[in-house]
Each structure stands twice: as C-alpha cells, then as structure tokens.
C-alpha cells in the first residue's frame, strides 16, 4: 500500500453508469470502449477496468498508462506473477486528495475472494505526471509475494518499494542512476526512524512506516546482490520459481514459511540468514558492504558510480533484468 500522511477516505463505488434511454446501445458501446482491457503475457493476464470515467479520451489515457506500468512489471520474469488479477482505476477530484498532491494519491492491493489492485488517480493528473509516479508499479509489485499478515508487512512493503524503482529503470521510466538515487533516498528516510523498536513490532503496529518500508527494501537488495554475486541466480529468478510452484493471490502465508520456500527454491540460505538478523533488529541495516559491491559511493549529497568491470556489471544486472519481457497486449 502507498504510505500517506493521512488516510485518504474515498468511497470506492465500482459501478458503471447506465446508458441513457433512447440511445442505450450506442451509449453502452461508447462507455465500454477502453473501460475494460485485458493485458496478456503468456498464460497470465491483468484485467484492467477504468471506473466511472465518461470521457473516452481520458479512459484511453488511463489504460495506456497502466499498460506501460504493466510492461515494467514484466521485466522481472516475462509474465505476470499470478495467472489472473484485476486492476481497477478510479478518479478523484484534487480537493478530495488535498493532503496528497501526487498524481495517484492512493493505491491498495486487495486479496478478498480474488486479487485486485485499486488505484485512485487525480482527475487532473496529466499523462506525464502519471508516467512519473511510482504508486501503480508499487501496488503491482505486491503481486509477486503472498499475503503475510502484519508480521510480514516489512517484507511485503519492502519488496514493493525495492521493485518500484528497479522495474521502472528496466522499463526506461527512470534512468538506472536515478533509480539508485531514489533507493538511497528511501534508505535515508528509513534510517531516520529512531524509535529503537524491533522491526517486526513496527510492522505489526503500523508504526515507523519509513523503517518498515525501507529496511524491507534493504533486505531484498541484499538478497538480490548475494544471489547474483555468489549463486548465479537473482531475486527475479527465485520469485519466478515461487510463482510457478506456490504463489496464491489469496489466503495468508507465514513470513518464515515464505522465506524458507525462497531458500529451498534458490538452494541457498541467503533469505533465512538475513531474515533472522533483521526481523528483530532495532536499527536500520547497514548497507556499506552492499554499496561497495555495487560500486556506489557518496560524494557529498550525491552518489557516484564506480565503472570498474565487476561492480558495474553487478549493478547493471539489477537495473537491466535477465528476462526478455513478453509484450502486453
């Protein structure tokens, strides 16, 4: 879920307007155009609905935006992680989102009955603003993992926070350098949370949001680097295997069970060793060693990048991805 300073309270009435009498057939046809699209990649599909938007041009804009975001998701392993999931897009007036000026002030992933990603878009958000926003790919990235309850919130929000930058870089929505800068800025926000509470406690109580999200992202970055450096695999590849064998859009999986399964699928202890160290930690995890591996250095307030062959190759492999994505259509 997108973290916000206040909860945006919107009644999500997902109901299509009925066509007026006298031209019902034509009106229904016009309203349906771009109100529903299905994006397919292999045997997986996203069913995308634009709700309550009468303007045909705006419906097409919103559908095109979501298709580009979905294409970024495919850079992980060439298909959507679930066989089928829904995306619902609704508009809200700027006044309703006055505590959040972002183009997509609220997003949520629901797992009741089936799996649905809900995105609430500001009605005056331009296509360029939507394209630059991170909320949609963050929410779509929640489809890579099972629901893990409150104890696993740091894992789930961390994975979405990691991938919201990595996948956009792979799809050309960000430069790789900008993606690293955004990750680094997030880690900085996480470090500033100073309650001293265990990470799992913050996860349960929905407190310390920045440490929950960005310590979680640090966990997945560390795992991805270790897998690529030492085991000739990647986080993408392990999650692809998990998608094949074990991923369900609904139900709940204990965090430790998810971690154990990732260890089994990777043939390593990369996930469990980091999990055991971090779950009860009271401070943000150190990233100096990972930054050295990646050739990322700090120059004042900016980042610099070592172009030495080994570190540059590792860094680029993360932002490039290994899979050739299947086209969304």
């Amino acid at each position: 879920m997108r973290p916000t300073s206040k909860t945006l309270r919107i009644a999500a009435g997902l109901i299509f307007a009925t066509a007026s009498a006298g031209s019902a057939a034509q009106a229904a046809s016009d309203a349906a155009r771009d109100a529903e699209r299905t994006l397919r990649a292999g045997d997986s599909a996203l069913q995308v609905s634009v709700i309550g938007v009468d303007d045909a041009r705006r419906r097409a804009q919103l559908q095109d935006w979501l298709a580009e975001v979905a294409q970024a998701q495919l850079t992980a392993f060439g298909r959507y992680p679930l066989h089928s999931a829904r995306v619902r897009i609704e508009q809200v007036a700027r006044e309703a989102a006055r505590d959040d000026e972002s183009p997509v002030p609220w997003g949520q992933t629901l797992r009741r009955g089936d799996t649905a990603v809900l995105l609430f878009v500001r009605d005056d958000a331009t296509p360029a603003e939507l394209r630059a926003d991170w909320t949609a790919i963050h929410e779509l990235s929640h489809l890579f993992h099972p629901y893990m309850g409150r104890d696993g919130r740091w894992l789930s929000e961390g994975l979405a926070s990691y991938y919201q930058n990595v996948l956009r870089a792979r799809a050309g929505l960000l430069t790789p350098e900008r993606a690293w800068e955004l990750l680094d800025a997030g880690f900085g926000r996480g470090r500033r949370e100073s309650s001293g509470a265990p990470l799992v406690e913050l996860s349960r109580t929905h407190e310390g949001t920045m440490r929950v999200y960005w310590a979680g992202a640090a966990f997945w970055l560390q795992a991805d680097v270790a897998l690529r450096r030492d085991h000739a695999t990647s986080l993408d590849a392990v999650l692809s295997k998990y998608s094949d064998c074990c991923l369900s859009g609904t139900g709940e999986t204990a965090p430790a069970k998810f971690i154990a399964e990732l260890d089994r699928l990777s043939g390593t202890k990369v996930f469990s060793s980091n999990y055991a160290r971090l779950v009860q930690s009271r401070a943000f995890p150190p990233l100096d060693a990972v930054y050295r591996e990646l050739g990322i250095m700090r120059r004042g307030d900016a980042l610099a990048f070592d172009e030495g062959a080994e570190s540059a190759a590792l860094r680029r492999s993360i932002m490039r991805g290994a899979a050739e994505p299947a086209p969304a259509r």
Side-chain angles (χ1 to χ4, degrees):
M1 179 185 291
R2 179 191 177 100
T4 55
S5 57
K6 298 179 183 176
T7 302
L8 180 63
R9 303 185 182 279
I10 303 170
L14 304 178
I15 303 172
F16 291 105
T18 55
S20 59
S23 58
Q26 182 60 48
S29 175
D30 290 345
R33 190 176 300 120
D34 279 322
E36 300 275 352
R37 282 190 197 174
T38 300
L39 305 176
R40 301 186 185 278
D43 64 351
S44 62
L46 284 180
Q47 300 166 344
V48 185
S49 303
V50 176
I51 309 298
V53 177
D54 295 330
D55 183 82
R57 181 171 174 271
R58 182 59 168 174
R59 287 197 304 271
Q61 282 180 350
L62 294 173
Q63 286 282 7
D64 291 346
W65 161 65
L66 198 283
E68 185 174 37
V69 173
Q71 190 71 21
Q73 189 186 29
L74 297 181
T75 64
F77 44 83
R79 68 183 188 284
Y80 303 118
L82 294 171
H83 178 70
S84 179
R86 294 178 294 120
V87 180
R88 292 177 174 175
I89 304 170
E90 250 190 280
Q91 292 198 133
V92 295
R94 177 183 281 273
E95 306 79 63
R98 60 182 176 273
D99 62 333
D100 191 331
E101 291 294 311
S102 66
V104 188
W106 189 56
Q108 187 176 15
T109 302
L110 300 180
R111 301 173 188 267
R112 303 186 190 102
D114 61 0
T115 306
V117 172
L118 308 182
L119 298 169
F120 292 88
V121 175
R122 216 179 61 223
D123 60 4
D124 62 348
T126 67
E129 288 175 325
L130 291 171
R131 194 171 190 266
D133 191 72
W134 54 267
T135 308
I137 193 61
H138 178 98
E139 295 304 328
L140 286 174
S141 294
H142 279 304
L143 304 184
F144 288 112
H145 64 78
Y147 176 65
M148 291 177 278
R150 293 188 301 166
D151 282 10
R153 182 168 167 260
W154 67 275
L155 287 169
S156 59
E157 296 297 354
L159 184 62
S161 297
Y162 179 59
Y163 267 151
Q164 78 189 33
N165 295 300
V166 169
L167 300 185
R168 287 192 296 155
R170 292 178 185 175
L173 297 171
L174 297 172
T175 65
E177 293 77 14
R178 182 58 180 155
W180 288 118
E181 289 168 354
L182 290 171
L183 283 168
D184 183 66
F187 298 147
R189 292 192 293 275
R191 287 188 193 96
R192 290 193 286 274
E193 197 286 319
S194 57
S195 68
L199 182 57
V200 69
E201 181 180 312
L202 296 177
S203 190
R204 288 171 185 155
T205 58
H206 284 245
E207 297 176 353
T209 296
M210 289 297 100
R211 179 146 68 96
V212 168
Y213 278 60
W214 292 103
F219 169 86
W220 295 109
L221 171 61
Q222 289 172 323
D224 204 2
V225 168
L227 292 168
R228 291 171 186 271
R229 182 192 63 218
D230 300 330
H231 302 285
T233 186
S234 67
L235 179 59
D236 302 330
V238 177
L239 290 176
S240 178
K241 290 179 180 179
Y242 187 84
S243 171
D244 285 339
C245 75
C246 315
L247 183 62
S248 172
T250 57
E252 184 171 339
T253 299
K257 182 178 179 181
F258 178 49
I259 291 299
E261 198 61 36
L262 296 183
D263 269 0
R264 183 187 71 81
L265 293 169
S266 64
T268 75
K269 295 293 184 184
V270 163
F271 297 95
S272 58
S273 61
N274 286 340
Y275 175 81
R277 183 168 57 251
L278 196 53
V279 65
Q280 293 292 342
S281 66
R282 296 175 180 270
F284 198 84
L287 290 173
D288 292 349
V290 169
Y291 273 38
R292 284 195 298 272
E293 292 281 354
L294 293 168
I296 299 175
M297 302 160 289
R298 193 170 302 286
R299 299 274 173 81
D301 294 333
L303 296 182
F305 301 95
D306 180 5
E307 297 304 326
E310 191 171 341
S311 59
L314 180 57
R315 189 175 67 244
R316 289 168 185 160
S317 72
I318 291 173
M319 293 301 175
R320 183 178 63 242
E324 184 65 27
R329 62 181 189 275

